[in-house]
Amino acid sequence: VKSDGTNWQIIASRLTPHQADMYRGTAQSINTATITKIQFASSNYDNAGMTDLSTNYRITVRRAGRYLIRMAAQMGAGSNIHQVWIYKNGSAIDNDVISETVASSKGNAAIALLDLTAGDYIEGYIYHDQGGAVNTLTGVEQRPRLFLTEIR
């Protein structure tokens, strides 16, 4: 708020940015050559009641604005292709791909900056082509994680 001595003027809203951070702390089996939704079951924080940790495993935006979104995950060694995906309202909008065979585990992250409206929802997906089902890793720095923060 700013005053010229007579009149008051609002110069910036003081809204708390909406933020949510979901992760999967237990292994989830991911079938080969199948884009699979991560069933996020835990949250580090959610200051706006946006996370669904038991049914749809997603973040639903409560207020229109510009949001920074990050989906990250790590898989075990061996696959030629490993991808993480960000989905908005059921459709893929961004992904990150690692296309190489490695002797140790590998991780990657997709990042998006989106203008979202109230009711839009964000989900995280993962893909690999290792030839058989592979579990997601569960270490703090390895587990699947979906993060969203409002930046206005």
Side-chain angles (χ1 to χ4, degrees):
V1 178
K2 176 178 132 181
S3 174
D4 63 7
T6 305
N7 300 303
W8 290 95
Q9 177 184 12
I10 297 174
I11 57 172
S13 66
R14 290 292 187 192
L15 299 174
T16 300
H18 285 185
Q19 298 178 326
D21 183 8
M22 306 168 69
Y23 66 92
R24 179 155 183 101
T26 59
Q28 179 178 338
S29 181
I30 308 297
N31 289 328
T32 191
T34 305
I35 298 173
T36 304
K37 183 178 182 176
I38 296 296
Q39 296 178 352
F40 295 102
S42 300
S43 177
N44 286 321
Y45 56 85
D46 176 1
N47 69 354
M50 298 185 292
T51 58
D52 178 345
L53 302 172
S54 61
T55 306
N56 295 309
Y57 311 104
R58 63 188 184 198
I59 299 172
T60 301
V61 173
R62 302 289 181 219
R63 177 171 62 211
R66 181 161 290 165
Y67 290 83
L68 179 65
I69 303 155
R70 180 178 186 263
M71 166 60 192
Q74 192 165 344
M75 300 286 288
S79 62
N80 292 322
I81 298 176
H82 175 235
Q83 300 176 338
V84 293
W85 296 79
I86 296 171
Y87 274 53
K88 173 189 167 193
N89 298 333
S91 298
I93 53 125
D94 194 28
N95 76 322
D96 184 63
V97 180
I98 294 177
S99 297
E100 61 185 54
T101 301
V102 295
S104 62
S105 63
K106 55 187 166 185
N108 52 334
I111 300 171
L113 182 62
L114 298 174
D115 291 319
L116 301 174
T117 60
D120 284 344
Y121 61 91
I122 302 297
E123 301 165 303
Y125 285 74
I126 194 167
Y127 171 92
H128 72 87
D129 70 345
Q130 195 156 326
V134 176
N135 287 336
T136 57
L137 299 180
T138 59
V140 172
E141 298 297 323
Q142 301 167 320
R143 61 189 177 202
R145 182 176 174 201
L146 181 63
F147 167 84
L148 174 145
T149 189
E150 181 182 29
I151 61 170
R152 292 242 131 226

